[in-house]
Amino acid sequence: GQNIDQPTEMTATEGAIVQINCTYQTSGFNGLFWYQQHAGEAPTFLSYNVLDGLEEKGRFSSFLSRSKGYSYLLLKELQMKDSASYLCAVNYYGNNRLAFGKGNQVVVIP
Amino acid sequence: DGGITQSPKYLFRKEGQNVTLSCEQNLNHDAMYWYRQDPGQGLRLIYYSQIVNDFQKGDIAEGYSVSREKKESFPLTVTSAQKNPTAFYLCASRATGMESGYGYTFGSGTRLTVV
């Protein structure tokens, strides 16, 4: 299988930093995506990593370690609008679809 | 502007009825997908299509059917054989060439409720 593992829920305070982890099976790995999904809405693309290292986009950064089968999404200066589910999805060679984790629900409190 | 459109946004179905969810894209994407999402669960793949007139079952295809007669359209029918159809349904598409980093583009979703 291609088990994509994410923690299920976390609560953080406005202005804080939160890190969301994702682990996956490394065999055949060909890229990892992070999506943000607000309740009742479609997921929206946040980031894509295919090489090791950190990709920064404003308040959001995503890190990848291919040898460890590990990625994290870092959310800085949390805002109330960041309350959402964050989905990790992995592309594998030879597969025609992404393998999704169950998502991590982030709740931002004042 | 290019995009992917799902309709309707909300749909109510009586027990024993078939209903069809629409998904249309004008992104010229070859591949299209249908996912189901239940509370507290991730996205589960129902059916997908890589090319016109061809489609494959996903992980939970029982009780569903699809067609791909046009590149732009990938409708999903929820049949009476689907015993627990109440869920949020998402359609997605993507360009070929995943190596270049093209992920999915999602529609806005259809919430189906059995009444």
Side-chain angles (χ1 to χ4, degrees):
Chain A
Q2 297 156 344
N3 293 336
I4 314 297
D5 194 26
Q6 293 184 255
T8 53
E9 185 170 322
M10 55 176 61
T11 301
T13 307
E14 207 172 2
I17 299 173
V18 69
Q19 178 173 315
I20 303 165
N21 299 319
C22 175
T23 59
Y24 61 88
Q25 293 194 340
T26 58
S27 178
F29 174 82
N30 188 30
L32 183 145
F33 298 84
W34 283 98
Y35 289 88
Q36 180 191 60
Q37 186 181 22
H38 288 101
E41 298 182 11
T44 55
F45 171 82
L46 287 178
S47 68
Y48 172 69
N49 296 71
V50 66
L51 300 176
D52 291 347
L54 189 67
E55 296 277 344
E56 297 190 75
K57 277 189 182 181
R59 294 188 299 112
F60 292 2
S61 303
S62 57
F63 171 82
L64 178 69
S65 168
R66 288 174 296 172
S67 62
K68 295 182 180 177
Y70 169 69
S71 174
Y72 68 72
L73 181 70
L74 197 67
L75 285 60
K76 304 175 202 171
E77 301 168 21
L78 276 177
Q79 302 176 9
M80 298 300 289
K81 66 179 181 180
D82 297 330
S83 290
S85 182
Y86 292 85
L87 308 175
C88 168
V90 178
N91 181 38
Y92 288 95
Y93 280 110
N95 267 14
N96 297 320
R97 61 195 205 183
L98 296 180
F100 283 88
K102 291 189 175 181
N104 182 303
Q105 183 69 39
V106 173
V107 178
V108 182
I109 58 175
Chain B
D1 281 341
I4 180 167
T5 302
Q6 285 186 246
S7 62
K9 190 167 179 65
Y10 298 97
L11 185 58
F12 296 90
R13 190 194 95 168
K14 290 184 180 179
E15 298 257 5
Q17 277 185 338
N18 291 357
V19 290
T20 297
L21 283 59
S22 170
C23 180
E24 304 275 335
Q25 54 100 358
N26 60 2
L27 299 164
N28 200 34
H29 285 173
D30 288 312
M32 296 186 75
Y33 305 80
W34 274 106
Y35 285 88
R36 170 182 172 141
Q37 190 174 37
D38 295 282
Q41 299 216 22
L43 301 181
R44 293 188 290 167
L45 183 65
I46 304 171
Y47 267 99
Y48 65 103
S49 169
Q50 297 292 109
I51 197 168
V52 175
N53 292 323
D54 188 40
F55 48 82
Q56 288 79 40
K57 291 182 179 180
D59 301 318
I60 54 164
E62 186 175 350
Y64 299 97
S65 66
V66 293
S67 62
R68 187 86 186 276
E69 297 175 3
K70 298 185 300 182
K71 188 175 186 177
E72 300 79 17
S73 179
F74 191 42
L76 173 74
T77 296
V78 185
T79 74
S80 57
Q82 171 48 240
K83 297 306 177 190
N84 185 23
T86 295
F88 187 52
Y89 290 86
L90 283 163
C91 179
S93 69
R94 72 165 174 85
T96 53
M98 286 291 280
E99 290 76 13
S100 62
Y102 292 119
Y104 289 174
T105 299
F106 285 93
S108 56
T110 293
R111 185 163 298 281
L112 174 63
T113 304
V114 174
V115 295

